[in-house]
Amino acid sequence: MTITRFAPSPTGNIHVGNLRTALFNYLIARKNGGQFILRLDDTDQERSKQEYVDGIKRDLDWLGLHWDRVERQSLRLERYAEVAAELRANGRFYEVFETPTELDLKRKKQLNMGKPPVYDRTGLNLSEADKDALRAEGRQGYWRFRLDHERIEWHDGILGDISIDAASVSDPVLLRADGQVLYTFASSVDDTDMAVTDIVRGSDHVTNTATQIQIIKSIGGTPPRFAHHSLLTGAKGEELSKRIGALSLKDLREGGVAPEALLGLMARLGSGQPVGLASLDELADSFDLSNFGASPTKFDADDLWPLTRERNQSLPFYQVADRIAELGVPADQAERFWRVASQNITRLEDLEAWWQIFSQGADPQIDPEDADFIAQAMTLLPPPPYTDQTWSEWTSAVKEATGRKGKGLFMPLRKAVTGQAHGPDMSDVMPLIQVVKAR
């Protein structure tokens, strides 16, 4: 069975970059009738918050990315300790004591000598007496995984064949001095225990993948299939990370972006396939990692609005009936209101402004040269309620009284009644108008 996972850290809101990872893994599971696991990387107890766990679930649920089960790494600490003990016994975990300052000095020295800044494995040569002496100095030990110095190879679902010389990579730190289990170790154990078959994530994890393949093999597991998607940039190729706070799913949702718009864009961005609205089933059926490339992918949040507009304008009345009722639109006018206003909105929140115009009157836009014309025209407009014929009857009367016609007749009247130069057909608008402020 195909099993994928999305493993966010609940230390903040998830953003569009996280969504790309979640969506790709979800679509692979959906396409193959498999399972999609939401796995919370919450071993950092100080920074992980329940409010962010709730936020992650709310964002995924909003998008329809429903998980088959939830796992929390904070509940698996005993399992990580058990595997760590096995790796110590097998000589794959070793204790080290260097401070960050000492490691930084080592890296600078290696670079000055033209060598790669790889950890020199000083910890492997420490005797128990050496370790006791370091502890007596107040130093705290932490644990690295000893890599086998061989080539680590795999076929990446997006990048193709990858080969990394393990000797060019530092032995990764997997357990901190305070006992915190780090991502690379916990994920390797989880992916093995949970029989994860496919992992898609950002290309910044390629080196992590090399080390995780060795870790998984060292604990008797079979490495899953890996694929690394390109990282997102801004519309001009700039780093997206500096703007990522403004691109959280929470902010996009609260800003009125339609979930279908976000999914339709993110599922196809960088694939060469046309971007458009589609159901999750349709997106899954057409999803193919081979369509994606390694080059950075440009993301422009402005591209979400045409899709949002298309989605919202196509909604049937029954899907918005409750929202319209909450605005205070009378039940006998609700369907007409939706028919009239729907083709002139982008966000569903825009409906409120239209009902404000219809129910409380718009601030009239009257050009100075039209002031006398509007004053005269308003004397010919009867009080509401209005009908489907009101607009044609009124404009005919105004035309006869003033001699105006065409745009010079209709545009000033539209702007006086609705405060807008553009909008729905005025014959449809007038029956909804309850107040005309220009009168």
Side-chain angles (χ1 to χ4, degrees), residues 47-249:
R47 297 176 61 225
S48 297
K49 306 291 183 185
Q50 184 60 41
E51 64 187 275
Y52 294 127
V53 172
D54 296 340
I56 289 167
K57 292 180 177 179
R58 188 181 308 115
D59 288 337
L60 295 179
D61 191 57
W62 169 61
L63 292 166
L65 304 183
H66 303 305
W67 50 91
D68 294 291
R69 72 178 198 262
V70 177
E71 299 282 355
R72 297 189 71 142
Q73 292 186 332
S74 60
L75 301 179
R76 290 175 48 78
L77 299 181
E78 289 185 4
R79 173 59 178 156
Y80 304 142
E82 176 185 318
V83 176
E86 293 173 0
L87 291 174
R88 288 189 189 96
N90 295 335
R92 299 305 294 268
F93 261 18
Y94 63 99
E95 194 172 14
V96 295
F97 293 84
E98 289 94 346
T99 66
T101 299
E102 289 170 339
L103 290 174
D104 186 53
L105 288 173
K106 284 186 178 184
R107 282 192 291 267
K108 289 178 179 177
K109 183 176 180 180
Q110 288 170 320
L111 290 170
N112 288 335
M113 296 174 63
K115 296 181 179 179
V118 176
Y119 179 64
D120 60 10
R121 290 187 163 179
T122 296
L124 274 177
N125 300 318
L126 294 175
S127 66
E128 289 304 316
D130 293 331
K131 295 176 185 178
D132 289 340
L134 289 167
R135 294 189 189 100
E137 293 176 7
R139 300 214 182 197
Q140 292 182 303
Y142 53 98
W143 297 83
R144 291 181 181 267
F145 177 78
R146 180 180 58 77
L147 290 166
D148 287 335
H149 283 176
E150 60 187 21
R151 298 207 73 83
I152 304 170
E153 300 177 335
W154 74 93
H155 180 77
D156 192 278
I158 293 175
L159 303 179
D161 291 332
I162 302 290
S163 178
I164 293 178
D165 183 358
S168 69
V169 180
S170 293
D171 291 341
V173 176
L174 299 187
L175 292 178
R176 285 187 6 178
D178 61 3
Q180 182 183 333
V181 179
L182 296 185
Y183 165 83
T184 304
F185 181 46
S187 292
S188 298
V189 175
D190 290 347
D191 291 335
T192 300
D193 288 354
M194 297 172 191
V196 171
T197 62
D198 295 82
I199 297 174
V200 184
R201 55 189 181 180
S203 57
D204 53 336
H205 283 283
V206 168
T207 301
N208 284 342
T209 293
T211 58
Q212 283 182 264
I213 286 174
Q214 274 209 16
I215 295 168
I216 289 170
K217 288 181 177 179
S218 75
I219 61 178
T222 300
R225 292 180 288 269
F226 285 95
H228 295 82
H229 60 68
S230 61
L231 300 182
L232 296 178
T233 71
K236 297 180 181 178
E238 72 276 18
E239 285 187 33
L240 204 60
S241 58
K242 296 178 181 178
R243 297 179 52 220
I244 212 69
L247 295 174
S248 71
L249 302 196

Side-chain angles (χ1 to χ4, degrees), residues 342-419:
S342 63
Q343 300 309 299
N344 293 273
I345 62 169
T346 295
R347 308 175 313 145
L348 288 177
E349 289 78 3
D350 298 338
L351 290 170
E352 183 176 358
W354 280 109
W355 182 241
Q356 181 98 0
I357 289 171
F358 297 156
S359 63
Q360 299 182 35
D363 293 329
Q365 288 189 23
I366 302 174
D367 295 332
E369 63 271 21
D370 292 324
D372 292 341
F373 165 70
I374 293 299
Q376 183 179 1
M378 288 302 159
T379 65
L380 300 173
L381 179 64
Y386 300 123
T387 70
D388 292 329
Q389 286 74 46
T390 297
W391 177 252
S392 62
E393 291 172 351
W394 180 40
T395 54
S396 295
V398 173
K399 177 180 179 181
E400 183 175 346
T402 65
R404 284 213 187 190
K405 58 183 179 179
K407 186 176 181 180
L409 169 67
F410 299 117
M411 182 59 71
L413 296 180
R414 169 186 284 278
K415 290 165 64 177
V417 173
T418 69

Side-chain angles (χ1 to χ4, degrees), residues 225-401:
R225 292 180 288 269
F226 285 95
H228 295 82
H229 60 68
S230 61
L231 300 182
L232 296 178
T233 71
K236 297 180 181 178
E238 72 276 18
E239 285 187 33
L240 204 60
S241 58
K242 296 178 181 178
R243 297 179 52 220
I244 212 69
L247 295 174
S248 71
L249 302 196
K250 176 179 181 290
D251 287 343
L252 292 173
R253 181 180 71 251
E254 293 178 353
V257 169
E260 295 88 345
L262 191 54
L263 292 170
L265 180 63
M266 299 307 293
R268 300 280 175 78
L269 198 64
S271 71
Q273 295 177 288
V275 170
L277 298 176
S279 69
L280 278 169
D281 282 338
E282 291 169 332
L283 292 175
D285 287 344
S286 63
F287 186 74
D288 188 339
L289 286 174
S290 66
N291 291 326
F292 295 87
S295 300
T297 302
K298 293 181 179 180
F299 170 80
D300 188 346
D302 288 343
D303 292 338
L304 293 168
W305 296 114
L307 292 168
T308 293
R309 181 167 55 249
E310 179 184 350
R311 177 264 194 178
N312 287 339
Q313 291 185 357
S314 67
L315 289 174
F317 171 71
Y318 75 87
Q319 290 190 21
V320 295
D322 289 345
R323 179 185 285 265
I324 290 174
E326 289 172 2
L327 295 176
V329 181
D332 62 343
Q333 290 185 303
E335 286 199 60
R336 175 187 281 271
F337 171 72
W338 173 243
R339 176 171 57 82
V340 170
S342 63
Q343 300 309 299
N344 293 273
I345 62 169
T346 295
R347 308 175 313 145
L348 288 177
E349 289 78 3
D350 298 338
L351 290 170
E352 183 176 358
W354 280 109
W355 182 241
Q356 181 98 0
I357 289 171
F358 297 156
S359 63
Q360 299 182 35
D363 293 329
Q365 288 189 23
I366 302 174
D367 295 332
E369 63 271 21
D370 292 324
D372 292 341
F373 165 70
I374 293 299
Q376 183 179 1
M378 288 302 159
T379 65
L380 300 173
L381 179 64
Y386 300 123
T387 70
D388 292 329
Q389 286 74 46
T390 297
W391 177 252
S392 62
E393 291 172 351
W394 180 40
T395 54
S396 295
V398 173
K399 177 180 179 181
E400 183 175 346

